[in-house]
Amino acid sequence: DENGLPRIGRGDWNDGFSSVGLGGKGTSVWLALFLAAVLTRFATVCARMGQADLEQDCKDKANALRQAVDAHCWDGQWYIRAFFDSGEKMGSHQSPECRIDLLPQAFAVLAGMPDLQRVDQGLQSALDHLVDHKLRLVRLFDPPFQHSHLQPGYVKAYPSGLRENGGQYTHSAGWFAMALLLAGRVEAGWQ
């Protein structure tokens, strides 16, 4: 895409975002971070196999994805989640729903984003906005999709705060714990 991010298509972890890129232009920040992590790991396989050109290609593409996320996806306190076909951001402080999403904050660590201050701020924002200590859960995003003009897809059909619509989801909570631990936030990660 023109912002260097992959089109969301059907490749996003949250398949409930089925309308974000219905027109073929929507992009996924999570998918960019996931691809950067996979390409970085695959580069080591290429090195072991003696495939220096493919190793370098994987590294270059991973770095390009990280640069695109850095250039277009920082919202001041956290990383946004996606761009709709219209270019409107999902997961922005200006979003009426899904203002902050857990996955890009966790995958910023797992993908090795270079701006450690941003990565740390994203983790802190997730801790501040998505962790409910009283109920002992970690929300996928907040607030849930319910009444706004945003039409992300069938995720909006789930009741507010359940499953992929802003509830706790085991994969994302586990990834968040891993990210906290890898970032040196051991106590928060174990909690």
Side-chain angles (χ1 to χ4, degrees):
D1 192 74
E2 60 269 1
N3 60 11
L5 301 174
R7 296 224 165 99
I8 192 166
R10 297 230 177 248
D12 196 90
W13 174 81
N14 193 338
D15 54 9
F17 292 163
S18 56
S19 296
V20 173
L22 207 53
K25 293 184 178 181
T27 56
S28 169
V29 177
W30 172 82
L31 187 54
L33 294 168
F34 178 72
L35 286 171
V38 170
L39 286 165
T40 299
R41 288 184 176 199
F42 193 68
T44 62
V45 173
C46 296
R48 288 185 187 141
M49 300 296 293
Q51 300 284 329
D53 289 344
L54 188 54
E55 174 191 8
Q56 191 58 52
D57 190 43
C58 288
K59 287 179 178 180
D60 291 346
K61 287 179 178 169
N63 286 331
L65 288 164
R66 288 186 197 96
Q67 289 172 1
V69 170
D70 248 355
H72 302 289
C73 305
W74 181 249
D75 198 52
Q77 299 294 311
W78 55 78
Y79 294 95
I80 65 166
R81 180 61 169 83
F83 290 90
F84 288 91
D85 285 323
S86 65
E88 185 174 4
K89 296 174 183 176
M90 177 196 296
S92 167
H93 72 280
Q94 297 174 330
S95 302
E97 296 169 341
C98 188
R99 192 169 301 121
I100 179 173
D101 190 293
L102 188 64
L103 291 184
Q105 315 327 313
F107 272 83
V109 175
L110 302 176
M113 286 298 291
D115 190 328
L116 298 182
Q117 284 185 305
R118 285 182 176 184
V119 171
D120 190 59
Q121 179 59 56
L123 290 174
Q124 188 59 51
S125 293
L127 286 165
D128 293 344
H129 296 280
L130 298 172
V131 175
D132 187 325
H133 295 285
K134 182 178 175 188
L135 295 177
R136 299 184 62 153
L137 58 86
V138 180
R139 288 184 178 85
L140 183 55
F141 57 78
D142 191 65
F145 291 105
Q146 195 170 17
H147 301 297
S148 78
H149 71 285
L150 297 174
Q151 295 300 324
Y154 76 81
V155 68
K156 199 168 182 175
Y158 287 122
S160 176
L162 293 180
R163 293 185 47 93
E164 291 100 325
N165 193 11
Q168 175 161 306
Y169 217 89
T170 306
H171 302 83
S172 60
W175 287 326
F176 186 50
M178 287 171 52
L180 289 165
L181 293 168
L182 286 169
R185 293 175 168 239
V186 178
E187 185 176 336
W190 283 112
Q191 285 179 0

